[in-house]
Amino acid sequence: MTPPTAFPETFARAVDGLRSAATRTEIQLEEVGAPQRLAPFAFALAATVLRDDDEVANGRLILLHDPAGHEAWQGTLRLVTYVTAELEVDLAADPLLPEVGWTWLTDALRVRNARHRAIGGTVTQTMSTRFGDLAGPPAAGDVEIRASWTPMDDALVPHLHAWCTLLASTAGLPPPGVTALPERRPAGTTLSAAPPARP
């Protein structure tokens, strides 16, 4: 039998932080297999966001650790994420969506005091229209946020809270304890960079 791998202390503390943080009830987290070729050590969480028992968004957060350091990361730890959500057609077509989507992430990191550096990523908006045998529902849209950043230390609870805030904002969840009323967005209404929802 191969002896169990001894994790570096920095990586072990970082993983403990990700495992220990509590989130709001609408966000369900589970540990999943992490990619093994990106760094010597890796850990991953998958998230499903529910609203009225319907899945409205999902995502993944991957922690990478290279004890030797990584020039592009500017450190030994790296957090990588993607978050996707289906949107109403008018929101998905809004030209401001990429800018606002990126603000959801950067504001969440700032509000949660998740100190970081070397952040980068993309926000992609797509529109889909069904035809032929798949015809039926009206056109639908999606937003996908992919990003990575380097935490300034191995205390990752603020980073997990920031990620959950991003998930909540992308899914359109109301702040905790607030019940959202059904509301129609008037035609032509554009997005605004509102404060991110808190996990």
Side-chain angles (χ1 to χ4, degrees):
M1 272 181 75
T2 304
T5 302
F7 292 136
E9 189 174 335
T10 294
F11 180 71
R13 281 197 301 264
V15 169
D16 285 345
L18 294 179
R19 283 174 169 161
S20 66
T23 64
R24 56 190 295 176
T25 57
E26 299 96 330
I27 300 176
Q28 300 179 350
L29 301 181
E30 64 174 331
E31 294 182 24
V32 294
Q36 300 301 310
R37 298 181 181 179
L38 300 178
F41 301 93
F43 173 81
L45 291 171
T48 301
V49 185
L50 302 176
R51 187 173 59 222
D52 299 326
D53 296 325
D54 292 326
E55 182 177 327
V56 291
N58 58 70
R60 186 163 295 194
L61 182 67
I62 301 169
L63 168 65
L64 304 175
H65 177 52
D66 187 342
H70 196 294
E71 184 177 354
W73 299 355
Q74 301 177 29
T76 64
L77 294 171
R78 188 75 172 171
L79 287 168
V80 181
T81 187
Y82 73 81
V83 172
T84 61
E86 186 172 317
L87 301 176
E88 295 178 7
V89 175
D90 58 337
L91 294 182
D94 195 305
L96 293 178
L97 178 60
E99 181 179 346
V100 172
W102 188 249
T103 301
W104 288 335
L105 171 61
T106 56
D107 282 358
L109 290 168
R110 175 181 53 80
V111 168
R112 290 299 184 172
N113 197 29
R115 301 188 309 122
H116 62 281
R117 57 177 167 250
I119 188 171
T122 61
V123 179
T124 304
Q125 57 191 130
T126 59
M127 296 286 293
S128 302
T129 303
R130 299 173 184 268
F131 295 98
D133 291 342
L134 295 178
D142 297 90
V143 62
E144 178 184 86
I145 301 171
R146 292 179 178 267
S148 62
W149 63 92
T150 298
M152 300 289 281
D153 53 46
D154 56 24
L156 297 192
V157 171
H159 295 267
L160 182 68
H161 285 161
W163 182 59
C164 289
T165 298
L166 169 64
L167 285 162
S169 296
T170 306
L173 295 183
V178 175
T179 302
L181 297 175
E183 178 183 357
R184 272 195 174 279
R185 179 181 293 271
T189 303
T190 58
L191 290 166
S192 61
R198 298 176 72 86

